[in-house]
C-alpha cells in the first residue's frame, strides 16, 4: 500500500457507565510508516490523547508513542467492567507516558529505547475487604484474597475495623524513566 488514510469521528459512544465523547482520529499508512495522529477523546469528561508512529521498513522498527489521560474517573470504568459487583474503587487516574525507540528485543532495546511514564491516582478510595468478604459467593477472588490476608493481620494487631473500612489513598504518584 503506497498511501492509505482513515479519518474517524464519533460524537458519543456508551458502554455501561463509560462515556466516550468527541472521538477524533486520523490513521495513516504510507509505504512502511504507520501513524495515528491525532487521536483524542473525552472519557467520562476527562481528556485523553494519543500519538503513535512506527516505521516498519527498518530492521527492528523505529517507533514513537505518547499517551496522556488527565483525571479519568475510575468508578464508572470499574463498574462497567465488573457489573455484577458494586464498585469498591473510586478516584481519578492521570497517565502521561512517552517512549521512543528502535528494536524489539534485548540489546537493541537497551541501546535505543527511551521515555518516561507517570501514573497518578488521586482521591482514591479502595475497599479491599468488607462485609462478607472471603465467604463463598460473596464477591471476587481479589476481594477474597485481600480478606484472607487482612483478617488475620487485623486480629493480630487488635484492629477489627481494618477489614470493614476502606483503605483510602489520597494521592499517589509513581514516575519511571526508561534509559
Amino acid at each position: 500500500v503506497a498511501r492509505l488514510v482513515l479519518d474517524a469521528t464519533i460524537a458519543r459512544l456508551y458502554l455501561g457507565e463509560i462515556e466516550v465523547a468527541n472521538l477524533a482520529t486520523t490513521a495513516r499508512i504510507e509505504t512502511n510508516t504507520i501513524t495515528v495522529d491525532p487521536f483524542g477523546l473525552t472519557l467520562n469528561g476527562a481528556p485523553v490523547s494519543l500519538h503513535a508512529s512506527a516505521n516498519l521498513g527498518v530492521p527492528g522498527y523505529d517507533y514513537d508513542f505518547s499517551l496522556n489521560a488527565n483525571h479519568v474517573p475510575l468508578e464508572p470504568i470499574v463498574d462497567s467492567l465488573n457489573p455484577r459487583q458494586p464498585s469498591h474503587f473510586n478516584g481519578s487516574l492521570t497517565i502521561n507516558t512517552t517512549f521512543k525507540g528502535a528494536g524489539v528485543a534485548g540489546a537493541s532495546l537497551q541501546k535505543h529505547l527511551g521515555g518516561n511514564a507517570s501514573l497518578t491516582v488521586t482521591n482514591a478510595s479502595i475497599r479491599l475487604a468488607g462485609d462478607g468478604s472471603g465467604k463463598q459467593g460473596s464477591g471476587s477472588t481479589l476481594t477474597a484474597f485481600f480478606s484472607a490476608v487482612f483478617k488475620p493481620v487485623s486480629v493480630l494487631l487488635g484492629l477489627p475495623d481494618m477489614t470493614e473500612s476502606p483503605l483510602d489513598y489520597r494521592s499517589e504518584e509513581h514516575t519511571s524513566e526508561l534509559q
Side-chain angles (χ1 to χ4, degrees):
V1 174
R3 181 180 166 108
L4 176 67
V5 178
L6 170 70
D7 288 314
T9 58
I10 298 175
R12 292 230 188 273
L13 176 68
Y14 296 93
L15 173 64
E17 295 179 33
I18 299 172
E19 177 188 9
V20 174
N22 304 320
L23 186 146
T25 189
T26 299
R28 291 179 185 83
I29 299 174
E30 296 183 55
T31 313
N32 296 322
T33 303
I34 300 171
T35 305
V36 177
D37 189 33
F39 178 95
L41 58 88
T42 302
L43 181 58
N44 286 20
V48 176
S49 64
L50 175 135
H51 160 82
S53 66
N55 182 347
L56 307 178
V58 297
Y61 315 127
D62 286 333
Y63 42 85
D64 185 2
F65 175 85
S66 66
L67 171 66
N68 297 296
N70 196 15
H71 297 290
V72 175
L74 293 172
E75 188 170 16
I77 296 169
V78 172
D79 286 351
S80 296
L81 297 176
N82 189 12
R84 291 183 290 153
Q85 186 175 10
S87 180
H88 295 294
F89 195 106
N90 60 33
S92 65
L93 176 68
T94 299
I95 298 173
N96 294 300
T97 185
T98 61
F99 66 87
K100 188 174 188 172
V104 292
S108 63
L109 282 176
Q110 289 178 339
K111 185 175 180 181
H112 300 289
L113 181 62
N116 60 58
S118 171
L119 171 71
T120 305
V121 178
T122 306
N123 296 327
S125 177
I126 306 166
R127 172 164 274 201
L128 299 176
D131 297 333
S133 296
K135 295 179 186 169
Q136 185 136 359
S138 67
S140 73
T141 304
L142 183 61
T143 300
F145 169 76
F146 282 116
S147 179
V149 171
F150 283 112
K151 282 189 179 188
V153 171
S154 72
V155 170
L156 286 172
L157 296 176
L159 299 170
D161 292 339
M162 184 175 181
T163 61
E164 300 304 322
S165 60
L167 298 176
D168 290 324
Y169 298 95
R170 291 295 164 207
S171 182
E172 253 336 288
E173 184 170 345
H174 177 73
T175 303
S176 298
E177 182 141 341
L178 301 170
Q179 296 184 11

